[in-house]
Amino acid sequence: MSTFVSPDLLPALPADAPRTAGSAAAADAPGALVARAEFPLLAADPTLRYLDSAATAQKPRAVLDALADYYARENANPHRGAYRLSVAATEAYAAARARVARFLGVGDADTLLFVRGTTEAMNLVAGSWGRAHVGAGDEVVVTAMDHHAAFVTWQQLAIARGATFRICELTADGRIDLDHLAALVGPRTRVVAFPHVSNALGTVNPVREIAALVRERSAAIVVVDGAQGAPHLAVEFDRLAAAGVDFYACSGHKVGGPMGIGALVGRRALLEAMPPWQYGGDMISLVEDQRTTWNVLPHKFEAGTPNVADAVGLAAACDLLGALGLDRVLAHERALVGQAMARLAALDGVRVHGPSAERRSGVVSFSVEGVHPHDLATILDERGVCIRAGHHCAQPLMRRLGVSATARASFWVYSDPADVDALVDGVQAAQRLFDGG
Ligand code: PMP
């Protein structure tokens, strides 16, 4: 059965205890929020410094156990069988939905749809709601910090429907420019999409303030890409919905769950009125020769055999994070990201992109003069440090930063000050190598 992280693996000090930068200080500083021992991949190699959690998180033992347990004890095709094992699979799937809904602050669990991830969720909203409601002369608004999963999906919908695609610009420190957004949104706006947290800069956006701004000016739907929100912040969807958010999407693999599962949460009235997005088994009510009627929520949007095991794994990850407390997760990441930013910015030739640490989650994107991000990532990899280099699926943002790529380090619950040391040491080593070369 899935287990919670054992409390004695958590450090004694509160996560927001002050931390000092530097290798010497790191030795005394509290370590990870959840011990590396809880993550088999990290436990297997104590020298590995995994700083790419924004791309995907390492998996806690509890999640791996939940997956193995499901397949070993409960595996059957749900919803269709009259035998006990199929009923057990059906119940495990429904319980997983309820657990993920609780984690995301969704009171009505049937308004949480399991999808493959944030990308599929965006395509579902655009393909169903968007195709039904966006037409010529309408406007679709995204931001310059949107991930391609949202940016391209809404751009293509606008092109297909003859709508105008508008992009909200950012402030100099990498936040959504709310004045520009207020100027863009009007009676013709049908959709406003933005990320809860930027994957490239780490900026945490004021979701409720933005939703209120949109509501005051339009009847547009508000679609939040929560791929980088759910792993770090309490989502509380029902509160977001009360402020005007219509849809929230996230990916399981970024919260420590398996790849290939995610969630889309939407307002019931919208979901009920929306046409199905994919057709097949489970999503139907009655199939006649010349017409078909649809199943109730959530099944209407879950055609075919569902991904039960990964839903169960995701629920285990959500239970674990929920028990840990997202406020502690964010405080821990901010402490590390603050250290990393200060130490990187103190190096000659290093430019840190984005806002101050207290406005972001655990992401630091930076550029090192004279060292291409890909070279930097390769040099760090030789030292056992995993960072991401590239455009981070945010080419419009890269253009605005005036770069083609950045280096990005990202922290999560297992990160500790030794990760920051390894990052900064590796950047300095790369600078020495390129200076001497
Ligand atoms: N949006 C953001 C902000 C992301 O960081 C990502 C993943 N990098 C996605 C969307 C897409 O998520 P997925 O690939 O899991 O569908």
Side-chain angles (χ1 to χ4, degrees):
M1 295 303 292
S2 58
T3 48
F4 291 139
V5 61
S6 90
D8 53 11
L9 287 166
L10 302 176
L13 280 170
D16 52 357
R19 290 163 168 78
T20 16
S23 313
D28 316 324
L33 185 57
V34 181
R36 288 171 68 104
E38 286 292 296
F39 298 84
L41 187 143
L42 299 177
D45 181 1
T47 66
L48 185 71
R49 296 284 138 204
Y50 185 73
L51 295 178
D52 198 17
S53 296
T56 198
Q58 293 305 339
K59 311 306 173 203
R61 193 181 304 281
V63 170
L64 303 183
D65 289 349
L67 282 171
D69 277 354
Y70 171 77
Y71 278 125
R73 294 172 210 229
E74 293 179 311
N75 179 52
N77 205 321
H79 301 150
R80 291 169 199 171
Y83 53 95
R84 271 174 297 166
L85 198 56
S86 174
V87 173
T90 306
E91 286 172 355
Y93 191 51
R97 194 186 309 278
R99 290 156 71 193
V100 178
R102 187 168 63 233
F103 173 72
L104 293 175
V106 180
D108 181 357
D110 289 342
T111 60
L112 184 150
L113 315 179
F114 282 123
V115 289
R116 274 200 305 130
T118 308
T119 304
E120 187 169 274
M122 283 297 155
N123 279 273
L124 192 162
V125 178
S128 173
W129 193 94
R131 294 192 84 81
H133 294 281
V134 176
D138 288 340
E139 295 178 358
V140 173
V141 177
V142 301
T143 75
M145 69 164 72
D146 268 288
H147 187 281
H148 296 164
F151 194 98
V152 178
T153 303
W154 291 113
Q155 178 199 60
Q156 291 303 306
L157 178 89
I159 292 169
R161 308 301 298 170
T164 306
F165 185 63
R166 295 201 185 282
I167 302 164
C168 177
E169 296 299 335
L170 309 182
T171 61
D173 66 345
R175 291 175 294 120
I176 293 174
D177 182 339
L178 296 181
D179 292 334
H180 189 219
L181 188 65
L184 282 183
V185 176
R188 300 305 319 242
T189 313
R190 304 296 289 147
V191 179
V192 177
F194 62 94
H196 193 168
V197 175
S198 157
N199 66 308
L201 298 174
T203 316
V204 177
N205 292 313
V207 175
R208 284 190 285 167
E209 194 182 337
I210 294 174
L213 180 156
V214 175
R215 280 279 162 276
E216 276 167 24
R217 290 167 176 78
S218 74
I221 57 161
V222 174
V223 186
V224 180
D225 169 351
Q228 301 290 343
H232 316 284
L233 299 150
V235 172
E236 299 185 328
F237 177 78
D238 287 348
R239 289 184 65 202
L240 298 184
V245 171
D246 295 295
F247 294 98
Y248 191 97
C250 59
S251 299
H253 67 96
K254 296 190 199 274
V255 299
M259 285 188 177
I261 189 87
L264 171 67
V265 190
R267 279 180 202 274
R268 177 173 275 279
L270 290 175
L271 291 171
E272 281 182 340
M274 279 159 58
W277 181 58
Q278 290 179 337
Y279 303 107
D282 265 11
M283 54 77 64
I284 53 85
S285 173
L286 183 70
V287 181
E288 297 177 80
D289 282 2
Q290 301 299 331
R291 66 186 282 270
T292 298
T293 55
W294 314 128
N295 203 342
V296 295
L297 294 177
H299 312 293
K300 183 172 87 172
F301 291 104
E302 294 183 3
T305 299
N307 185 356
V308 182
D310 289 337
V312 169
L314 172 56
C318 291
D319 288 350
L320 198 150
L321 263 191
L324 199 57
L326 275 303
D327 47 348
R328 297 182 70 204
V329 173
L330 188 63
H332 176 70
E333 293 172 354
R334 279 192 174 152
L336 292 175
V337 100
Q339 281 184 20
M341 286 171 68
R343 292 177 60 191
L344 288 170
L347 302 178
D348 276 347
V350 175
R351 177 179 161 212
V352 173
H353 304 285
S356 55
E358 64 278 5
R359 289 184 186 274
R360 54 169 94 198
S361 66
V363 169
V364 54
S365 262
F366 58 97
S367 303
V368 182
E369 203 182 316
V371 187
H372 192 279
H374 286 120
D375 293 330
L376 180 63
T378 304
I379 292 165
L380 283 166
D381 183 46
E382 280 163 11
R383 305 166 72 95
V385 182
C386 311
I387 65 158
R388 184 143 296 246
H391 54 62
H392 315 296
C393 295
Q395 289 181 6
L397 173 62
M398 295 296 120
R399 276 196 297 281
R400 284 158 175 84
L401 294 177
V403 296
S404 60
T406 72
R408 183 189 73 183
S410 50
F411 303 98
W412 204 44
V413 296
Y414 37 67
S415 308
D416 63 22
D419 291 327
V420 178
D421 291 341
L423 172 69
V424 176
D425 290 350
V427 170
Q428 287 179 298
Q431 286 184 308
R432 282 195 299 274
L433 197 70
F434 276 78
D435 276 354

